[in-house]
Amino acid sequence: MSPDRTATRLLERADVVARTVLSQQAFYQSGLCSANQRQLLETMIGAAIWYFPQSDELWTGFISAEALRALADSPSPKAVKLTKDHHYPRKVAAAELFALDWSGINEPAQEVLNRYLVSYGQFNYVLPEENKRLVKYQKTHLFVSPAHAYEQAGIQLLQLSRPLLKAIQAGESELAELALADQIE
């Protein structure tokens, strides 16, 4: 898909999310909205965010130490399954959008898009089992920050450049060992 088409799709989806949040915000914030209904609205908006076109450009540059160790130890690093864990939980993003004062925002779709690119769409690479450990710390009522969730789940993140990750995935395990020893980025 061309970059222009991806950008158009992103903005169109951001527009739908913004319109939906704006149209449902009064109900969401009212006493008529039960906790169950509020959760459903957050799930719907969170799912919509999850379906935005994803790009490797949204990678934070962080990978878990366990994932890097798995890549270093594997005879076939390409076979190591890495999960894209959203740095910012989708339902938390939805709750934030519903809580936002939209009155001073002239371009709601652009606001949602900017938040997606800067925060909501960002992801880290972790192992699938780490992703499962993170889930309980990323629930809306418990979430404090991405750093806190990772700390609570016992996951250490290490910074890595994209070219270095590609080289490690291609089998250069000595680079993974150096990165684990904090010798390179």
Side-chain angles (χ1 to χ4, degrees):
M1 188 174 307
S2 75
D4 287 342
R5 185 170 151 96
T6 299
T8 299
R9 286 185 68 212
L10 262 172
L11 188 56
E12 287 175 345
R13 289 180 184 211
D15 185 48
V16 170
V17 167
R19 288 173 187 268
T20 303
V21 168
L22 285 164
S23 72
Q24 296 303 309
Q25 187 177 40
F27 172 64
Y28 177 90
Q29 293 177 348
S30 77
L32 298 173
C33 188
S34 71
N36 186 44
Q37 290 170 315
R38 201 169 285 111
Q39 283 183 337
L40 179 58
L41 285 166
E42 290 170 2
T43 298
M44 290 167 41
I45 295 301
I49 291 169
W50 192 78
Y51 281 109
F52 279 23
Q54 292 201 2
S55 158
D56 284 340
E57 322 250 308
L58 295 173
W59 177 44
T60 61
F62 286 94
I63 185 170
S64 74
E66 286 181 48
L68 192 52
R69 170 58 54 208
L71 289 168
D73 292 346
S74 175
S76 179
K78 286 188 186 220
V80 174
K81 174 86 170 112
L82 296 179
T83 297
K84 293 177 180 180
D85 178 71
H86 282 88
H87 196 65
Y88 206 86
R90 297 180 309 249
K91 286 177 82 172
V92 172
E96 188 175 285
L97 290 172
F98 277 115
L100 192 61
D101 176 4
W102 292 89
S103 64
I105 298 171
N106 295 327
E107 296 181 42
Q110 192 61 52
E111 179 69 21
V112 170
L113 179 59
N114 291 343
R115 286 170 178 264
Y116 177 73
L117 295 173
V118 171
S119 185
Y120 304 159
Q122 298 281 304
F123 65 88
N124 303 307
Y125 283 118
V126 299
L127 294 173
E129 55 271 21
E130 291 177 301
N131 188 253
K132 286 183 177 98
R133 284 198 327 250
L134 274 164
V135 169
K136 67 180 166 184
Y137 304 108
Q138 294 178 326
K139 299 215 180 274
T140 307
H141 64 285
L142 293 176
F143 185 77
V144 175
S145 70
H148 184 260
Y150 278 81
E151 182 181 324
Q152 293 299 303
I155 298 170
Q156 177 190 7
L157 293 175
L158 302 173
Q159 193 162 18
L160 210 61
S161 69
R162 188 178 319 281
L164 185 55
L165 177 60
K166 298 274 186 221
I168 291 167
Q169 288 176 312
E172 296 188 39
S173 59
E174 65 281 353
L175 292 176
E177 292 294 344
L178 288 171
L180 282 162
D182 202 23
Q183 300 296 311
I184 58 174
E185 284 189 8

